[in-house]
Each structure stands twice: as C-alpha cells, then as structure tokens.
Amino acid sequence: MSRFDELFAAAAAARANAYDKYSGFAVGAAVLGKDGKIYSGCNVENASFPEGWCAETTALGKMICSGEREVAEVLVMADAALCTPCGGCRQRLAEFALDEVVVHICDLSGLRKNYTIGELLPARFVLEAGESASA
C-alpha cells in the first residue's frame, strides 16, 4: 500500500466518525508527521456555532499530543469536488509544515487536486522567535 493510500484510508476511517449532525458535511483528514506516523481526524460540530472544530485541527491536535511537531504530508477528504482547508486550518497546518508540503484534496472516490501549503497560504502569519502576537 502506498503512503497516499495509507493517508486516504486513515482519512476515510476518521471521516466515518465525524460528528456532523448540524451540517451533514463529514470531513476526514490525515496528517503524516516527519516521524512517519499518520494522525487522523474528523470534524466535530457543536450547536454553538462556530465552537466545533475541523478535521485538520483534530489530526494536528493528535500529532502534537503525540510529541511530533513537523508535518510531512496532508490529505483532506469530503464528499465534495474540492474541499480545501479553511483559512484557520491553513494557518494551523502552516505552523507545522514547510511551504512545499503537499496537501492532497480528495473526494470519496480519490484524489481531486494537490496543493502545497505555500499555494494554499502564500502570505501566512509568522512570528519571529521571541516575538509576541501583540508586538
């Protein structure tokens, strides 16, 4: 099984557990850490919009909780032709990924398009070491 197939399977399994009772729009994501492990996540909605969280956020949270800090590859899956990460997730992914990291955008049948983090967020918010957000 290829790495893409592993990411696809992980995202599909996570998507199956999405808590999407308000929108009916299930999303799954899989993040490959530099450590070679795959971290998956699904969207979790909440009646108090927008207090839910995205599949990418869930996957990144699992990665961070496991001690990994670098993203090597990402796959996002939904029942839509092009479901790219939202702006907040683009920034979250960019926090842990280099510009050239590939983000595979998939529907339920397979790959639709590839982007890099740099293409999805060309002017990301970056703080210099030691600088605070209020500076």
Side-chain angles (χ1 to χ4, degrees):
M1 180 181 282
S2 73
R3 183 62 81 184
F4 175 86
D5 291 333
E6 291 179 74
L7 288 165
F8 190 88
R15 183 185 173 277
N17 292 319
Y19 184 74
D20 62 340
K21 79 181 240 181
Y22 302 101
S23 71
F25 191 74
V27 181
V31 172
L32 175 65
K34 285 283 188 179
D35 61 5
K37 294 179 185 173
I38 294 175
Y39 304 91
S40 61
C42 62
N43 57 317
V44 180
E45 297 177 348
N46 187 292
S48 177
F49 290 116
E51 294 304 314
W53 59 87
C54 301
E56 301 91 330
T57 300
T58 304
L60 281 172
K62 288 170 72 174
M63 183 188 85
I64 298 304
C65 283
S66 295
E68 178 58 65
R69 296 291 188 265
E70 285 189 64
V71 171
E73 195 170 355
V74 180
L75 188 143
V76 179
M77 167 193 290
D79 189 11
L82 284 177
C83 180
T84 61
C86 71
C89 285
R90 291 176 189 206
Q91 180 63 43
R92 285 181 195 96
L93 288 166
E95 186 80 14
F96 301 100
L98 299 174
D99 282 345
E100 60 270 11
V101 166
V102 175
V103 180
H104 307 287
I105 304 302
C106 300
D107 63 14
L108 304 184
S109 63
L111 179 66
R112 300 296 298 190
K113 188 162 176 133
N114 286 323
Y115 295 94
T116 63
I117 293 290
E119 290 172 323
L120 288 174
L121 193 62
R124 65 172 148 180
F125 184 75
V126 179
L127 293 177
E128 297 300 320
E131 184 179 6
S132 72
S134 61

